[in-house]
Amino acid sequence: MIQSAKGTYDILPSDISKWHYLEAIIREVCELYNYQEIRTPIFESTGLFERGVGESTDIVTKEMYTFLDKGNRSITLRPEGTAGVVRSYVEHKMYAEANQLTKLYYIGPMFRYERMQKGRSRQFYQFGVEALGANNPMLDAEVIALSVNIFKRLGLKEVKVLINTLGDTESRLNYRKALINHLKPFQDSLCTDCKKRLEINPLRVLDCKVDKNHQAIKTAPEMKAYLNAESQQFFDNVLKCLDDSGIEYVLDNNLVRGLDYYNHTVYEIISNVEGFGAQTALGGGGRYNGLVQVIGGPDIPGVGFAFGMDRLILALEAENITIPESDNVDVYLVTMSDKTNQFAMKILDILRKNQIKCDKDYFDRKVKAQFKQADKVKAKYVIIIGEEEMKQNKVSIKNMKNEVQETIEVKELVKELTERLEVYYESNS
Ligand code: AMP
């Protein structure tokens, strides 16, 4: 038997209501903040990610699904969403109007060739936002607030916002020099990846999982000592906005995030809930003022985030948050004999044209088994069609909760069911 490819999994109908719930809240909150959805291709030219994610990152060096297509083009399945969104932004000149802020969000699958474990797979799902066009600390705070509000709406309580600043280019370069000077004497004892990072992007040594307890990291200089006045002011403004909106956060000097093009604000949201597993990061983001230019556009600032949806589902489960089950059908049709089947199909058609979710049996089951099926699909009403009633253009409807059954004219059926279902949903909401 052929099984799903290693690192992938099916989201089965029994689990889909969790995903629908999550997606609906993401859309609702993003739209509340005036972000519009964008859908970019699942695959892009490999060069986009090499430039847009950064050649020193683990994603580009180790994790991309890259192949040559039949036209000998190097193609990569997207490992993250930002590069594609920014490519589209540049390609479609969304910046053409002066002082235009473009607020976009996306939801979709991403692909990384990673070692699998709980909360980490090779096809996984992310949602994210990108706000392009303004270098305003209020926008950094808005993006953070948006993500926190999604978590709140989901009912997640055990989450913590970690925040740091990498400063502007000048501050970052000064810090980089100081960090290299500090790390050089320890170079031989750092892990293989960090030896390379030291040359290409030394900031990333700070968030190395292998070397996290290394003396070199514990004694490293802190970014905040190298921030110039403007960068400090920018960060203070972000924090002030967060304070004003009552968003709690923890300052984390070692937070640098994996991508190469971050500057100013970087943040991450982690789950604190017990039993969540080793992968506690739900996602994060920050400001990336150089990225649009790196991807071939003008010098336009941007800020955004990406969160893993698979991990959010795990967090919902770990916090025992009950997700509203989506109801299967409202009405199930039970036919008393073969002769009523055609008539039943007509009734189904009428109901569906009137937005009533309904279904019937297609296995010629006995009446009792049809009722069993009605229970299984959680039908609120059953319509019973007998030969005699059919001749008079009538059917019986049975309320599955109180078992009351009555006969009504077919022409009254839609009106009756609509009213009764409304009452049902009101009393169950
Ligand atoms: P990143 O784009 O690496 O900053 O990742 C952002 C978030 O996406 C992470 O915090 C995870 O929640 C999620 N994520 C990244 N890689 C994976 C993966 N392989 N499997 C599941 N979720 C992932």
Side-chain angles (χ1 to χ4, degrees):
M1 189 191 55
I2 297 176
Q3 294 184 323
S4 62
K6 190 167 177 185
T8 68
Y9 65 97
D10 300 312
I11 301 171
L12 298 172
S14 51
D15 277 329
I16 205 73
S17 53
K18 290 180 198 155
W19 289 82
H20 285 168
Y21 174 72
L22 180 57
E23 285 161 14
I25 288 182
I26 291 167
R27 285 179 205 288
E28 215 178 292
V29 180
C30 284
E31 282 162 27
L32 206 56
Y33 283 79
N34 194 25
Y35 285 71
Q36 288 182 310
E37 186 177 359
I38 182 164
R39 298 187 190 187
T40 61
I42 302 273
F43 62 82
E44 300 267 2
S45 300
T46 303
L48 173 68
F49 301 114
E50 285 168 350
R51 279 206 258 164
V53 179
E55 292 194 74
S56 78
T57 58
D58 284 353
I59 295 181
V60 172
T61 53
K62 302 180 196 161
E63 296 168 2
M64 295 208 301
Y65 277 91
T66 298
F67 57 94
L68 288 180
D69 72 5
K70 292 189 200 306
N72 255 347
R73 299 171 197 92
S74 182
I75 295 293
T76 294
L77 301 184
R78 63 182 188 194
E80 54 91 59
T82 304
V85 170
V86 173
R87 191 243 343 111
S88 176
Y89 173 80
V90 172
E91 189 171 329
H92 298 284
K93 296 197 171 54
M94 293 184 210
Y95 49 80
E97 259 177 72
N99 295 328
Q100 167 83 10
L101 183 61
T102 307
K103 291 169 147 192
L104 305 166
Y105 77 91
Y106 61 85
I107 299 180
M110 308 294 160
F111 307 85
R112 292 184 198 172
Y113 193 78
E114 285 190 88
R115 209 167 42 79
M116 284 158 44
Q117 59 190 92
K118 188 176 173 197
R120 197 199 268 159
S121 50
R122 292 179 177 174
Q123 172 167 338
F124 60 99
Y125 300 83
Q126 279 187 341
F127 74 93
V129 308
E130 319 294 349
L132 297 146
N135 187 34
N136 189 327
M138 283 189 264
L139 204 51
D140 302 39
E142 178 183 275
V143 159
I144 297 171
L146 195 170
S147 56
V148 169
N149 279 332
I150 289 179
F151 288 94
K152 280 196 186 144
R153 279 289 311 277
L154 288 168
L156 291 169
K157 293 198 177 66
E158 301 294 327
V159 290
K160 190 155 88 180
V161 179
L162 306 175
I163 191 167
N164 191 19
T165 179
L166 304 175
D168 62 8
T169 314
E170 182 192 77
S171 311
R172 190 172 160 162
L173 285 178
N174 285 338
Y175 179 56
R176 189 189 143 98
K177 260 189 234 151
L179 198 57
I180 293 178
N181 286 341
H182 168 80
L183 292 172
K184 270 273 175 193
F186 298 97
Q187 188 164 16
D188 291 341
S189 60
L190 293 174
C191 76
T192 327
D193 282 339
C194 281
K195 283 191 183 105
K196 283 188 226 145
R197 286 177 188 138
L198 185 53
E199 303 297 334
I200 316 167
N201 189 351
L203 266 68
R204 296 201 46 242
V205 173
L206 298 178
D207 74 348
C208 174
K209 303 271 179 304
V210 181
D211 281 338
K212 66 172 182 256
N213 293 320
H214 196 292
Q215 187 64 10
I217 293 179
K218 285 189 176 157
T219 57
E222 289 186 349
M223 178 73 225
K224 63 182 177 204
Y226 294 82
L227 291 179
N228 58 22
E230 284 149 29
S231 301
Q232 186 63 56
Q233 184 66 51
F234 193 99
F235 193 45
D236 290 345
N237 286 342
V238 175
L239 299 182
K240 164 124 197 0
C241 282
L242 292 176
D243 292 337
D244 288 347
S245 13
I247 289 173
E248 289 174 24
Y249 53 83
V250 176
L251 297 174
D252 179 348
N253 286 316
N254 279 354
L255 182 69
V256 292
R257 303 277 303 150
L259 309 186
D260 278 356
Y261 295 104
Y262 280 108
N263 45 15
H264 286 296
T265 320
V266 282
Y267 83 105
E268 209 160 86
I269 299 188
I270 59 171
S271 172
N272 277 335
V273 69
E274 227 171 277
F276 187 63
Q279 302 298 323
T280 55
L282 299 171
R287 182 161 278 285
Y288 46 79
N289 286 350
L291 184 60
V292 179
Q293 213 166 19
V294 164
I295 289 181
D299 183 11
I300 287 178
V303 57
F305 66 62
F307 284 89
M309 294 166 72
D310 318 56
R311 283 195 207 158
L312 279 178
I313 299 265
L314 288 177
L316 288 170
E317 285 164 0
E319 288 202 31
N320 289 322
I321 293 170
T322 35
I323 288 149
E325 285 275 319
S326 59
D327 286 299
N328 292 357
V329 298
D330 288 329
V331 178
Y332 197 79
L333 268 64
V334 168
T335 49
M336 302 300 283
S337 72
D338 199 29
K339 288 193 185 122
T340 57
N341 265 326
Q342 284 299 329
F343 186 64
M345 291 307 289
K346 267 193 224 155
I347 304 269
L348 282 180
D349 192 43
I350 294 170
L351 298 183
R352 287 169 181 161
K353 280 180 178 142
N354 286 281
Q355 319 307 326
I356 296 173
K357 282 200 278 179
C358 55
D359 210 350
K360 77 182 279 297
D361 166 64
Y362 293 96
F363 292 96
D364 295 329
R365 286 190 174 101
K366 300 239 160 52
V367 172
K368 200 169 158 201
Q370 290 184 55
F371 268 103
K372 229 175 164 183
Q373 193 62 18
D375 273 333
K376 198 170 162 194
V377 298
K378 300 192 183 111
K380 284 74 195 175
Y381 284 87
V382 163
I383 297 181
I384 306 149
I385 307 176
E387 281 180 44
E388 279 313 304
E389 286 168 310
M390 181 177 78
K391 281 180 200 149
Q392 299 167 31
N393 235 355
K394 287 182 178 166
V395 291
S396 295
I397 56 174
K398 180 173 178 183
N399 180 327
M400 294 298 276
K401 204 166 171 191
N402 61 17
E403 309 229 310
V404 173
Q405 186 173 324
E406 57 207 294
T407 305
I408 60 168
E409 305 255 355
V410 169
K411 63 177 192 300
E412 301 293 332
L413 190 57
V414 168
K415 186 171 155 280
E416 281 295 325
L417 281 173
T418 309
E419 280 171 14
R420 288 169 196 225
L421 287 168
E422 245 169 50
V423 173
Y424 171 88
Y425 280 112
E426 251 165 43
S427 61
N428 281 285
S429 66

